[in-house]
Amino acid sequence: MYAIVEIAGQQFKVSKDLKVYVHRLANEEGSKVSFDKVLLLDDNGNITLGAPAIEGASVEAKVLQHLKGDKVIVFKKKRRKGYKKRNGHRQYLTQIVIEGISATGSKKAAKAAEPKAEKAAEPKAPKAKKAETTEE
């Protein structure tokens, strides 16, 4: 079972017991956090898509530590002008471990999507009739 979930503005493919580095979260180390913006769920081949998110589905995680990423060197140069700038940057990260994926409410979201598709198809039929009357 895996899920695609949005965490701190980025999308991650997660499964149980997976360690993930995400942008810095405000939670303390050792605390539990829940992510509700689940975009896709795969339960042994049974795929559920959200529009945009699956209602009722969530991913539970535990914050392991806060740290800084590797240093990235930013070097700017303009040739023949003597202009050189060297700068560095280290991203603030949080390491989390995924403890579980709950798919409650995924069936309701799938059923709710079907009637909307039927309602969208009904208004198209009267528009087609109007077009037919103008052709005659």
Side-chain angles (χ1 to χ4, degrees), residues 120-136:
E122 290 174 8
K124 290 181 182 177
K127 289 181 182 175
K129 289 179 183 176
K130 289 180 182 177
E132 290 173 9
T133 57
T134 56
E135 290 179 52
E136 295 176 3

Side-chain angles (χ1 to χ4, degrees), residues 1-132:
M1 178 177 208
Y2 73 88
I4 295 179
V5 62
E6 186 172 322
I7 302 171
Q10 291 184 320
Q11 296 176 7
F12 295 93
K13 179 181 176 182
V14 297
S15 59
K16 190 169 171 29
D17 299 327
L18 182 72
K19 291 182 181 178
V20 181
Y21 291 100
V22 299
H23 286 301
R24 181 67 60 102
L25 300 175
N27 303 76
E28 297 178 11
E29 291 183 7
S31 66
K32 306 218 183 246
V33 69
S34 176
F35 304 106
D36 296 331
K37 198 158 187 183
V38 179
L39 307 174
L40 180 136
L41 272 174
D42 182 14
D43 189 12
N44 299 326
N46 185 15
I47 297 175
T48 305
L49 283 173
I54 300 170
E55 294 181 22
S58 65
V59 174
E60 306 296 324
K62 180 180 179 183
V63 176
L64 295 179
Q65 64 177 340
H66 297 296
L67 54 120
K68 290 172 86 173
D70 294 335
K71 187 167 218 175
V72 177
I73 302 298
V74 179
F75 186 75
K76 298 179 182 179
K77 178 183 179 183
K78 294 186 180 177
R79 61 186 192 155
R80 298 187 304 269
K81 305 297 181 201
Y83 174 81
K84 293 180 186 177
K85 287 284 184 184
R86 183 177 177 271
N87 199 355
H89 174 73
R90 292 184 71 185
Q91 187 69 38
Y92 290 103
L93 300 172
T94 299
Q95 184 182 19
I96 61 173
V97 62
I98 306 300
E99 293 184 335
I101 300 170
S102 64
T104 56
S106 62
K107 293 179 183 177
K108 292 179 183 176
K111 289 180 182 177
E114 292 174 8
K116 290 180 182 176
E118 292 173 4
K119 289 180 182 177
E122 290 174 8
K124 290 181 182 177
K127 289 181 182 175
K129 289 179 183 176
K130 289 180 182 177
E132 290 173 9

